[in-house]
Amino acid sequence: MSGYRFDRLKILVVDDNVHMRKLVVTILQAFGVIQIFEAESGERAWAILREFNPDVVVLDWEMEGLSGLDVVKMIRTDPQTPNPFVPVIMLTGHTHIDRVRQARDAGINEFIAKPVSVKTMMSRLMSVIENPRPFVRTKSYFGPCRRRRGNPEYRGPERRAEKAAQAAE
Amino acid sequence: MSRQQPIELFMPPNMLKAKVGGTHAGLDMAAINRAESAMEALKGEFATWAQDDVRRLVTARDAFAADPDKTTRAGLLRAAHDMKGQAATFNYPLIARVAGSLSHLIHDLPEDAPLALGLVDAHVNAIHVIYRDKVMDLSNRTALALAQELEARVAETLGA
């Protein structure tokens, strides 16, 4: 028993397919989430984001108009974004490594490849709560650190931290 | 010569953790069981989901056949891609496989290469048949052979 108060969360679910949206909403409700916003397009998602400032976004990739990647880039870098750090969990049928990299490079926090499973959804949600990634700002990227999150057993050099220190000097 | 690029690395405050509280004590099995029961109930409720998606795929195919341009091709890719994700979630693994083969074909074919309608139709018809016969497992030999044949044709097309 984790004792998480999921009832305190506001989650935005974005998918152009009504069945998939309903499935994700049902899973989140069973976890105890009460405030769930639904968007059937990237445009609608952006409007809801600006109005309600959700705590987590579950986002489909392929949508007509603004795609999931467009939305996540807007979340991270648009001057009108309500929260550039909001965790984004991308839910997609794409499984090829190039696509995973593309999503990571747009600034997502977690990736779920369809088919959707309850355990994966819970594990990704717990991951954004318990193991948030540090953020990185470079000339060409702003978003969660794209390297694998820190392993407490790792004893090797902290190259990125060293680079950051050098850059700060 | 190494690239020099300023990097700013920082940890934003964990507002999410502050909001939900709790402790990291592994997966909450009670919540997982509740969600799995809800998902099972939903699968029954979604008996018609595949019908909607097959209809959407056929509409996208018809639009592409009538006017094979960049837009209709993208619409066909989206319909096939969505079906791949949905079918796997709602217990139609063979539809997911055939839809995956179709989206692989459309996605990986160079934009200036013509997309053969015959091969598109072979996929759409296969999806029709698998749905009509309600093939929900991977042991149906005919459906499996059909999926394998389509994948081979796609590999051949992309390799050519």
Side-chain angles (χ1 to χ4, degrees), chain A residues 5 22 30 99 130 135, chain B residues 8 10 17 20 34 45 107:
Chain A
R5 294 290 306 271
K22 188 165 182 186
R99 291 301 195 118
E130 295 292 343
F135 265 62
Chain B
E8 186 189 344
F10 60 100
K17 177 71 178 166
V20 300
R34 265 197 319 273
E45 203 180 294
H107 182 263

Side-chain angles (χ1 to χ4, degrees), chain B residues 36-134:
Chain B
E36 273 174 352
S37 303
M39 193 167 160
E40 278 309 306
L42 211 54
K43 280 179 181 171
E45 203 180 294
F46 280 162
T48 58
W49 79 266
Q51 197 178 340
D52 293 348
D53 275 17
V54 169
R55 201 174 292 137
R56 187 172 159 233
L57 184 66
V58 170
T59 304
R61 176 264 169 217
D62 289 348
F64 174 73
D67 187 10
D69 64 6
K70 201 175 164 183
T71 308
T72 55
R73 192 157 150 167
L76 190 57
L77 174 59
R78 244 191 335 270
H81 175 78
D82 275 0
M83 180 165 261
K84 176 189 160 195
Q86 258 99 248
T89 304
F90 293 111
N91 292 345
Y92 276 95
L94 276 170
I95 289 186
R97 188 164 161 182
V98 176
S101 171
L102 179 57
S103 50
H104 175 47
L105 168 70
I106 305 169
H107 182 263
D108 285 16
L109 196 67
E111 272 188 24
D112 54 353
L115 175 61
L117 188 60
L119 192 48
V120 170
D121 282 350
H123 282 83
V124 174
N125 292 338
I127 287 169
H128 246 309
V129 171
I130 296 168
Y131 173 64
R132 185 198 63 200
D133 294 349
K134 302 281 180 281

Side-chain angles (χ1 to χ4, degrees), chain A residues 54-108:
Chain A
D55 302 302
V56 178
V57 180
V58 180
L59 184 63
D60 181 30
W61 184 323
E62 294 286 348
M63 293 181 290
E64 208 167 348
L66 282 180
S67 72
L69 285 194
D70 295 330
V71 174
V72 75
K73 284 175 191 165
M74 288 166 78
I75 289 173
R76 298 293 179 234
T77 59
D78 192 288
Q80 293 182 317
T81 184
N83 178 7
F85 307 116
V86 66
V88 178
I89 300 172
M90 182 153 270
L91 182 62
T92 175
H94 290 304
T95 48
H96 195 276
I97 186 67
D98 288 347
R99 291 301 195 118
V100 178
R101 282 199 190 111
Q102 211 181 331
R104 184 199 63 181
D105 289 348
I108 66 151

